[in-house]
Every structure is written in structure tokens, then in C-alpha cells.
Amino acid sequence: MVERTYIVGIMVVCSIFWVGSGHALVNLTLSGQHPDPEAVVWEVHRKVNGSLTRRHLLEDYEQDSSCLTGNPIDDCWRCDPNWSKNRQRLADCGIGFGQYALGGKGGQYYVVTDSSDNDAVNPVPGTLRYAVIQTEPLWIIFASNMVIHLSQELIFNSYKTLDGRGADVHITGGGCITLQYINNVIITNIHVHHCYQSGNTMVRSSPTHYGYRTLSDGDGISIFGSKDLWIDHCTLSHCKDGLIDIIMGSTGITVSNNHFSHHNEVMLLGHSDEFEPDTGMQVTIAFNHFGPKLIQRMPRCRKGYIHVVNNDFTQWEMYAIGGSGNPTINSQGNRYIAPYDRNAKEVTKRVDTDEKNWKGWNWRSEGDVMVNGAYFITSGEELEVKYEKAYSIEPRSASNIDQLVMYAGVLGDRRNGRGGKWTAGPDDKSQTDSDDYDYGDYDGTTPSINPPPFIFFFFLYFTYLHFL
């Protein structure tokens, strides 16, 4: 992998050359960019409405609808009790701009059996690092519950699926997940937390190449110049920088069914206000739960087209959705619950921009529910014409939010009384409930689990017997 700062320099120089040659970067089309974003929006609503309708029809006829949630992603695969025998079906269940992410579909299964990460240049077979750098498509699963404490950034190659379903998998440590200049990656059912800066060392990015990496930002998931990606059912918190950063001409991305908590700058979309290639960025943010102890950037957008649909925003401290650089933000069917702070009721924030400059930005709110005084300031001209195609099927009311985000985050969690133990199938390896983890006291090695009180009595009793 070429040094990060060197790559950025090349992209900046190319941008300057393009402008200097008389070309308009604003019309730049990225590889992987959809030519009609409103059509993608329409398709998301069609799938949501279809899933909700099927559930309601079963209820009306008093038939079992327990496996149907109205969430089209989950309904696509979770109703199959033998889903684990055909894990790769998940690749057909995506929605939004990242729906074309293949991940490791068609490739072999790779089972992670070793949670160690002791050598970022020569990873050991059986480790996660060894799997993600391979050139061929791989569907990566886990032999057991494990905590993978990274020594350095985990640099993926293209055509990989990281599938934690049926196990309780935590990724923490140095740099965490890096998706840089690659495509077709799916990450599902993984805890990502306590990620910190790493680098200034050699890290392998493929079986045939390793290179010097400068200091990373400490993001949970860093997406850089990549396309056709899908991040689903992950639980993210407590990272040094962002939980998810999507920058430098990345596009074709869906972030769905995730649970975010305990963080300041949650999600950044776009490198800078001046980086014109990000005008081609297209991101779908759907069915996520933005949970406790979040401050801002859910997301913070620079340029691009961002579809924020059917998410649950459970308070914030500064703002929920922010932006600069004239992004298009299409907010539909979300629930925004404002904090009690009377000065932080606004959902939106135009960052460091005068109203005379942002009043033409296309920021739309349709079917959103505002709670506890929350309000969304819309902007833009001729919005009805621009979004006419998207609204040929209207977004469902946010009254369905509890149902749509019921299982947000890693499946099997019981946060805040939500959900419950899920049916993992015959290869279920999940033996712990993730809400037992006190991430605030995480020590960087193993999850901190709070056992039931009777465990201590058994421990004392057997210790007493041992010394008799």
C-alpha cells in the first residue's frame, strides 16, 4: 500500500490539474456512482413498503409474522431457519446505493480460528488479517466468539465479506478497519470499538505487497476512495476519531441496521469542502439507531447525495445532521428525539456557512417525526420538482421506526430493552449477551462481562471445597 499522504497528494494535484485544464470538476462522475439517485431512493421505499405490507397482511389473516419486521434487509434472509447453510444469500439483500456490493459472494468460506494479530507484515494463516488481504473473493466467518485486538490498521482487499453472524466478534485496537481504494466489501454483525491511532510502520495490504503507513486517525471504519460497500448490523462506539468516515471520492455505500453510541464525531461524509470528487459521493443511511451519548455528525456531510431514511435518533448534544460544501440531504421517515437542552433542538446544522450561501442547498425532510421540540430547517429551490420521482411511493411514517430498527446493531443484543435473543440457526456460537459489556471499562484485551450474582456464590463455594 502506498503511503497515505503520498496518495492524497496525487489526488489533490490531479484535481488542480483538472480545474486548470478548464474542466468542471462539479460534473465529475465517479466510478460506481448511480446516474439517477432519485430512482435509488424510490427503490428503497418500494422495498420497505413491500416488507411492511407483507407483515400487515399476515397479521390481518392471523398468520405467523414473527420473523417479519418490515425491514427489507432482515426479512430477506432471517426468515430462513437454515440461513447459515446459505450465508452468501445476504449479498442479495442490500438496499440503497450500496446494494451492488457483492462482498465475497461466489468465493470460498474462510474460517477465522486465531484471534491474534501480532505481525502486521506477516500475518498467520487462520487470523483475520491473513484473510482480508487475499486477492480472491472470500466469505469470512468465525469459529467462535473472539476479541481481535489489532496491532495496526486492518487493510482490506476487494471482494470480502466479514460475516460475524452466529458469533460474538469484537474488533478493537490500532487503526481498526481500513477500506482504501477497493470495492465490493460487506461487513456485518461485528462490534467495533476502542479504536485508536496507529501507524508509522509497515503494514501488509496484499499477499505480494506491504508498505509504510503514516499515523492513522483512529476511526472505527475508514473508507477512502472506495465503492460498492455495505456496513450492516454492526455496533460501534468509543473510537479516537470517527466511528465511520467516508471520504476521498468514495461512493455506492449503504450504512444500515447499525447501533451507534458513546461518541463525539460519529460519521463524516466527504473529505473537505474543496474536494470536488466528493460531489459524486452517494450514501444511504437506513434503519440505524443513533443511541446514547452521541454529540454530533449523524452524519456531517460535505457534498454528495445522502439519503437518510427510517433511522431512530435518540437525542444528541449538539446536532444530528450537519453539512457544508452544498451536499444534497434527503431525510425521510426518521424519528428525531431532541435533547432537553433548549439550545440544541435543531436537527440540522450548516457548518461555518452563512444563510445566504446555504439557502440554495437541497436539504429535504419528508415524513419525519419530530419529538421533544426537534425541528429540521429545510432549504433549496424547486424541491417538489427535484424529488417528484422519489415520492411516487411515499416514505412510510416514522411511526414504524420501533419495528424497523428493532434489531439495529449486532444481532443478539438486548440494549435498552430492545429485541432479545435472535434465532441464529444450527451453527449458533453466541454464548454471551453483548449488552453485558461495559465498554467504558474496556481494558483492551477481553470484554468486561458482569456475571449474575449467583456466580460469585458458586465461586466461593467451590473454592471452599477445594481447600477442605
Side-chain angles (χ1 to χ4, degrees):
M1 184 67 67
V2 183
E3 184 177 352
R4 182 185 297 101
T5 51
Y6 179 65
I7 294 174
V8 173
I10 290 177
M11 296 189 73
V12 171
V13 169
C14 289
S15 298
I16 294 171
F17 175 77
W18 187 275
V19 173
S21 300
H23 296 283
L25 267 175
V26 71
N27 296 320
L28 178 66
T29 299
L30 295 173
S31 174
Q33 178 183 346
H34 197 283
D36 187 355
E38 277 78 24
V40 177
V41 169
W42 180 90
E43 182 69 7
V44 169
H45 293 308
R46 187 191 68 79
K47 290 183 177 180
V48 173
N49 294 350
S51 291
L52 286 169
T53 299
R54 283 191 293 273
R55 176 181 172 84
H56 294 157
L57 284 173
L58 287 174
E59 290 175 339
D60 291 342
Y61 287 97
E62 298 182 349
Q63 297 182 29
D64 181 22
S65 61
S66 58
C67 77
L68 294 175
T69 65
N71 182 317
I73 295 172
D74 289 356
D75 290 353
C76 177
W77 66 272
R78 286 188 64 193
C79 289
D80 180 3
N82 295 312
W83 65 265
S84 60
K85 297 184 184 301
N86 184 19
R87 286 176 173 267
Q88 296 192 15
R89 172 170 168 72
L90 179 69
D92 301 324
C93 299
I95 66 167
F97 292 115
Q99 65 183 297
Y100 303 112
L102 294 174
K105 184 179 180 180
Q108 294 185 345
Y109 286 92
Y110 177 101
V111 182
V112 178
T113 57
D114 184 346
S115 64
S116 70
D117 187 51
N118 300 322
D119 191 336
V121 175
N122 298 298
V124 177
T127 61
L128 178 58
R129 187 177 297 276
Y130 184 89
V132 299
I133 65 171
Q134 302 306 312
T135 55
E136 69 271 19
L138 289 177
W139 199 278
I140 302 165
I141 60 177
F142 297 83
S144 62
N145 300 335
M146 59 181 65
V147 176
I148 299 174
H149 187 80
L150 299 173
S151 59
Q152 299 293 335
E153 288 175 279
L154 187 67
I155 303 176
F156 277 58
N157 215 326
S158 296
Y159 294 97
K160 301 292 180 292
T161 296
L162 193 57
D163 183 357
R165 291 175 296 171
D168 196 55
V169 179
H170 293 246
I171 293 179
T172 73
C176 283
I177 294 173
T178 296
L179 311 178
Q180 181 168 316
Y181 295 121
I182 60 171
N183 60 82
N184 287 285
V185 169
I186 299 172
I187 299 174
T188 186
N189 219 60
I190 303 291
H191 294 269
V192 181
H193 58 96
H194 288 89
C195 303
Y196 51 77
Q197 291 180 294
S198 66
N200 292 328
T201 190
M202 296 292 184
V203 179
R204 184 170 294 278
S205 58
S206 77
T208 59
H209 185 266
Y210 64 90
Y212 187 80
R213 298 291 292 179
T214 57
L215 190 67
S216 69
D217 292 333
D219 297 325
I221 301 176
S222 176
I223 299 173
F224 190 106
S226 298
K227 66 176 183 177
D228 295 329
L229 311 174
W230 181 22
I231 301 167
D232 185 61
H233 276 300
C234 292
T235 297
L236 303 100
S237 66
H238 293 101
C239 291
K240 173 66 176 177
D241 193 32
L243 295 182
I244 299 177
D245 276 13
I246 302 172
I247 63 171
M248 301 301 286
S250 298
T251 195
I253 298 166
T254 293
V255 178
S256 60
N257 293 312
N258 301 289
H259 184 272
F260 301 92
S261 68
H262 298 86
H263 201 72
N264 179 6
E265 298 176 336
V266 179
M267 196 182 314
L268 175 65
L269 308 182
H271 176 67
S272 71
D273 292 354
E274 293 75 33
F275 190 73
E276 292 297 336
D278 279 336
T279 57
M281 177 175 55
Q282 296 173 332
V283 179
T284 300
I285 300 172
F287 318 131
N288 301 286
H289 180 204
F290 292 91
K293 303 295 184 182
L294 297 178
I295 297 176
Q296 60 181 317
R297 297 191 177 185
M298 295 170 254
R300 189 241 199 264
C301 313
R302 295 180 174 125
K303 306 187 182 300
Y305 186 111
I306 316 302
H307 187 205
V308 184
V309 57
N310 293 141
N311 301 278
D312 193 10
F313 293 81
T314 310
Q315 300 187 10
W316 53 85
E317 292 189 25
M318 291 178 61
Y319 65 87
I321 297 177
S324 59
N326 192 13
T328 295
I329 297 176
N330 192 355
S331 173
Q332 298 181 307
N334 302 284
R335 179 168 61 190
Y336 295 103
I337 305 176
Y340 290 103
D341 182 354
R342 68 179 63 184
N343 297 313
K345 299 293 187 181
E346 184 180 346
V347 172
T348 51
K349 179 180 177 62
R350 276 74 171 180
V351 182
D352 298 328
T353 309
D354 293 332
E355 182 176 354
K356 63 181 180 181
N357 295 321
W358 61 253
K359 65 181 181 180
W361 298 356
N362 289 317
W363 288 27
R364 178 76 172 181
S365 173
E366 175 75 11
D368 293 326
V369 169
M370 305 294 171
V371 182
N372 198 32
Y375 64 97
F376 188 115
I377 296 181
T378 61
S379 59
E381 299 176 357
E382 299 180 356
L383 289 175
E384 295 303 327
V385 174
K386 181 176 179 61
Y387 291 97
E388 182 178 357
K389 184 181 293 186
Y391 293 166
S392 57
I393 291 182
E394 293 185 0
R396 288 282 185 172
S397 168
S399 61
N400 290 297
I401 283 296
D402 285 331
Q403 189 173 310
L404 293 172
V405 304
M406 181 182 300
Y407 298 105
V410 169
L411 292 163
D413 282 6
R414 287 201 287 261
R415 297 171 310 274
N416 307 323
R418 292 171 177 264
K421 196 68 177 171
W422 68 302
T423 302
D427 69 342
D428 182 7
K429 304 179 183 67
S430 181
Q431 302 297 322
T432 57
D433 292 323
S434 298
D435 9 306
D436 290 338
Y437 300 137
D438 182 356
Y439 285 173
D441 294 332
Y442 181 73
D443 63 4
T445 54
T446 58
S448 175
I449 299 176
N450 300 318
F454 66 83
I455 294 295
F456 292 104
F457 289 106
F458 278 113
F459 174 76
L460 293 174
Y461 176 70
F462 285 111
T463 301
Y464 170 74
L465 291 179
H466 177 74
F467 286 102
L468 283 179

